[in-house]
PDB file of all heavy atoms in Angstrom:
ATOM      1  N   ASP G 454     -28.260  36.942 -43.986  1.00 90.00           N
ATOM      2  CA  ASP G 454     -26.927  37.446 -43.631  1.00 90.00           C
ATOM      3  C   ASP G 454     -25.885  36.327 -43.685  1.00 90.00           C
ATOM      4  O   ASP G 454     -24.754  36.543 -44.131  1.00 90.00           O
ATOM      5  CB  ASP G 454     -26.960  38.044 -42.223  1.00 90.00           C
ATOM      6  CG  ASP G 454     -27.648  39.411 -42.194  1.00 90.00           C
ATOM      7  OD1 ASP G 454     -27.672  40.075 -43.244  1.00 90.00           O
ATOM      8  OD2 ASP G 454     -28.148  39.788 -41.122  1.00 90.00           O
ATOM      9  N   TYR G 455     -26.233  35.143 -43.216  1.00 90.00           N
ATOM     10  CA  TYR G 455     -25.297  34.016 -43.232  1.00 90.00           C
ATOM     11  C   TYR G 455     -24.893  33.651 -44.650  1.00 90.00           C
ATOM     12  O   TYR G 455     -23.713  33.392 -44.928  1.00 90.00           O
ATOM     13  CB  TYR G 455     -25.938  32.808 -42.527  1.00 90.00           C
ATOM     14  CG  TYR G 455     -25.016  31.612 -42.393  1.00 90.00           C
ATOM     15  CD1 TYR G 455     -23.947  31.637 -41.503  1.00 90.00           C
ATOM     16  CD2 TYR G 455     -25.216  30.470 -43.148  1.00 90.00           C
ATOM     17  CE1 TYR G 455     -23.090  30.545 -41.363  1.00 90.00           C
ATOM     18  CE2 TYR G 455     -24.366  29.365 -43.014  1.00 90.00           C
ATOM     19  CZ  TYR G 455     -23.313  29.416 -42.130  1.00 90.00           C
ATOM     20  OH  TYR G 455     -22.464  28.343 -42.013  1.00 90.00           O
ATOM     21  N   ILE G 456     -25.864  33.649 -45.570  1.00 86.00           N
ATOM     22  CA  ILE G 456     -25.554  33.328 -46.969  1.00 86.00           C
ATOM     23  C   ILE G 456     -24.692  34.415 -47.587  1.00 86.00           C
ATOM     24  O   ILE G 456     -23.735  34.135 -48.317  1.00 86.00           O
ATOM     25  CB  ILE G 456     -26.857  33.126 -47.759  1.00 86.00           C
ATOM     26  CG1 ILE G 456     -27.603  31.866 -47.243  1.00 86.00           C
ATOM     27  CG2 ILE G 456     -26.573  33.001 -49.245  1.00 86.00           C
ATOM     28  CD1 ILE G 456     -28.988  31.705 -47.831  1.00 86.00           C
ATOM     29  N   LEU G 457     -24.996  35.638 -47.316  1.00 87.00           N
ATOM     30  CA  LEU G 457     -24.215  36.730 -47.886  1.00 87.00           C
ATOM     31  C   LEU G 457     -22.798  36.783 -47.327  1.00 87.00           C
ATOM     32  O   LEU G 457     -21.846  37.121 -48.044  1.00 87.00           O
ATOM     33  CB  LEU G 457     -24.921  38.066 -47.617  1.00 87.00           C
ATOM     34  CG  LEU G 457     -26.188  38.331 -48.435  1.00 87.00           C
ATOM     35  CD1 LEU G 457     -26.890  39.588 -47.954  1.00 87.00           C
ATOM     36  CD2 LEU G 457     -25.872  38.442 -49.920  1.00 87.00           C
ATOM     37  N   ASP G 458     -22.630  36.464 -46.046  1.00 86.00           N
ATOM     38  CA  ASP G 458     -21.298  36.501 -45.433  1.00 86.00           C
ATOM     39  C   ASP G 458     -20.433  35.326 -45.840  1.00 86.00           C
ATOM     40  O   ASP G 458     -19.208  35.364 -45.673  1.00 86.00           O
ATOM     41  CB  ASP G 458     -21.418  36.521 -43.903  1.00 86.00           C
ATOM     42  CG  ASP G 458     -22.032  37.825 -43.402  1.00 86.00           C
ATOM     43  OD1 ASP G 458     -21.993  38.813 -44.157  1.00 86.00           O
ATOM     44  OD2 ASP G 458     -22.553  37.833 -42.266  1.00 86.00           O
ATOM     45  N   MET G 459     -21.046  34.278 -46.348  1.00 82.00           N
ATOM     46  CA  MET G 459     -20.296  33.079 -46.693  1.00 82.00           C
ATOM     47  C   MET G 459     -19.571  33.278 -48.022  1.00 82.00           C
ATOM     48  O   MET G 459     -20.146  33.767 -48.992  1.00 82.00           O
ATOM     49  CB  MET G 459     -21.251  31.879 -46.788  1.00 82.00           C
ATOM     50  CG  MET G 459     -20.540  30.549 -47.070  1.00 82.00           C
ATOM     51  SD  MET G 459     -21.712  29.197 -47.108  1.00 82.00           S
ATOM     52  CE  MET G 459     -22.283  29.236 -45.437  1.00 82.00           C
ATOM     53  N   PRO G 460     -18.277  32.905 -48.103  1.00 77.00           N
ATOM     54  CA  PRO G 460     -17.569  32.989 -49.386  1.00 77.00           C
ATOM     55  C   PRO G 460     -18.248  32.130 -50.446  1.00 77.00           C
ATOM     56  O   PRO G 460     -18.810  31.066 -50.140  1.00 77.00           O
ATOM     57  CB  PRO G 460     -16.175  32.465 -49.049  1.00 77.00           C
ATOM     58  CG  PRO G 460     -16.033  32.649 -47.579  1.00 77.00           C
ATOM     59  CD  PRO G 460     -17.404  32.462 -47.011  1.00 77.00           C
ATOM     60  N   LEU G 461     -18.199  32.581 -51.674  1.00 68.00           N
ATOM     61  CA  LEU G 461     -18.881  31.882 -52.768  1.00 68.00           C
ATOM     62  C   LEU G 461     -18.352  30.474 -52.957  1.00 68.00           C
ATOM     63  O   LEU G 461     -19.110  29.549 -53.267  1.00 68.00           O
ATOM     64  CB  LEU G 461     -18.714  32.688 -54.063  1.00 68.00           C
ATOM     65  CG  LEU G 461     -19.447  32.146 -55.300  1.00 68.00           C
ATOM     66  CD1 LEU G 461     -20.957  32.123 -55.044  1.00 68.00           C
ATOM     67  CD2 LEU G 461     -19.118  32.978 -56.524  1.00 68.00           C
ATOM     68  N   ARG G 462     -17.049  30.305 -52.732  1.00 67.00           N
ATOM     69  CA  ARG G 462     -16.470  28.977 -52.935  1.00 67.00           C
ATOM     70  C   ARG G 462     -17.031  27.946 -51.966  1.00 67.00           C
ATOM     71  O   ARG G 462     -17.114  26.763 -52.284  1.00 67.00           O
ATOM     72  CB  ARG G 462     -14.961  29.052 -52.814  1.00 67.00           C
ATOM     73  CG  ARG G 462     -14.455  29.465 -51.447  1.00 67.00           C
ATOM     74  CD  ARG G 462     -12.924  29.507 -51.422  1.00 67.00           C
ATOM     75  NE  ARG G 462     -12.410  29.872 -50.099  1.00 67.00           N
ATOM     76  CZ  ARG G 462     -12.243  31.120 -49.707  1.00 67.00           C
ATOM     77  NH1 ARG G 462     -12.536  32.113 -50.525  1.00 67.00           N
ATOM     78  NH2 ARG G 462     -11.773  31.389 -48.498  1.00 67.00           N
ATOM     79  N   ARG G 463     -17.404  28.400 -50.748  1.00 68.00           N
ATOM     80  CA  ARG G 463     -18.001  27.468 -49.781  1.00 68.00           C
ATOM     81  C   ARG G 463     -19.442  27.167 -50.128  1.00 68.00           C
ATOM     82  O   ARG G 463     -19.918  26.055 -49.966  1.00 68.00           O
ATOM     83  CB  ARG G 463     -17.930  28.059 -48.370  1.00 68.00           C
ATOM     84  CG  ARG G 463     -16.516  28.115 -47.796  1.00 68.00           C
ATOM     85  CD  ARG G 463     -16.554  28.520 -46.358  1.00 68.00           C
ATOM     86  NE  ARG G 463     -17.360  27.598 -45.579  1.00 68.00           N
ATOM     87  CZ  ARG G 463     -17.834  27.867 -44.372  1.00 68.00           C
ATOM     88  NH1 ARG G 463     -17.566  29.037 -43.813  1.00 68.00           N
ATOM     89  NH2 ARG G 463     -18.583  26.989 -43.730  1.00 68.00           N
ATOM     90  N   LEU G 464     -20.137  28.172 -50.618  1.00 65.00           N
ATOM     91  CA  LEU G 464     -21.546  27.983 -50.940  1.00 65.00           C
ATOM     92  C   LEU G 464     -21.712  26.982 -52.060  1.00 65.00           C
ATOM     93  O   LEU G 464     -22.630  26.160 -52.051  1.00 65.00           O
ATOM     94  CB  LEU G 464     -22.172  29.327 -51.322  1.00 65.00           C
ATOM     95  CG  LEU G 464     -23.676  29.331 -51.590  1.00 65.00           C
ATOM     96  CD1 LEU G 464     -24.417  28.912 -50.339  1.00 65.00           C
ATOM     97  CD2 LEU G 464     -24.139  30.705 -52.059  1.00 65.00           C
ATOM     98  N   THR G 465     -20.813  27.011 -53.004  1.00 64.00           N
ATOM     99  CA  THR G 465     -20.959  26.112 -54.158  1.00 64.00           C
ATOM    100  C   THR G 465     -20.563  24.689 -53.827  1.00 64.00           C
ATOM    101  O   THR G 465     -20.945  23.764 -54.527  1.00 64.00           O
ATOM    102  CB  THR G 465     -20.090  26.605 -55.324  1.00 64.00           C
ATOM    103  OG1 THR G 465     -18.742  26.715 -54.873  1.00 64.00           O
ATOM    104  CG2 THR G 465     -20.572  27.952 -55.804  1.00 64.00           C
ATOM    105  N   LYS G 466     -19.793  24.513 -52.778  1.00 61.00           N
ATOM    106  CA  LYS G 466     -19.346  23.161 -52.451  1.00 61.00           C
ATOM    107  C   LYS G 466     -20.242  22.465 -51.441  1.00 61.00           C
ATOM    108  O   LYS G 466     -19.990  21.325 -51.061  1.00 61.00           O
ATOM    109  CB  LYS G 466     -17.913  23.206 -51.904  1.00 61.00           C
ATOM    110  CG  LYS G 466     -16.883  23.514 -52.986  1.00 61.00           C
ATOM    111  CD  LYS G 466     -15.481  23.403 -52.432  1.00 61.00           C
ATOM    112  CE  LYS G 466     -14.455  23.636 -53.531  1.00 61.00           C
ATOM    113  NZ  LYS G 466     -13.079  23.515 -53.028  1.00 61.00           N
TER     114      LYS G 466
END
Side-chain angles (χ1 to χ4, degrees):
D454 285 336
Y455 184 72
I456 294 172
L457 287 173
D458 293 340
M459 183 178 296
L461 184 61
R462 63 180 181 273
R463 290 188 58 197
L464 184 62
T465 56
K466 288 186 177 181

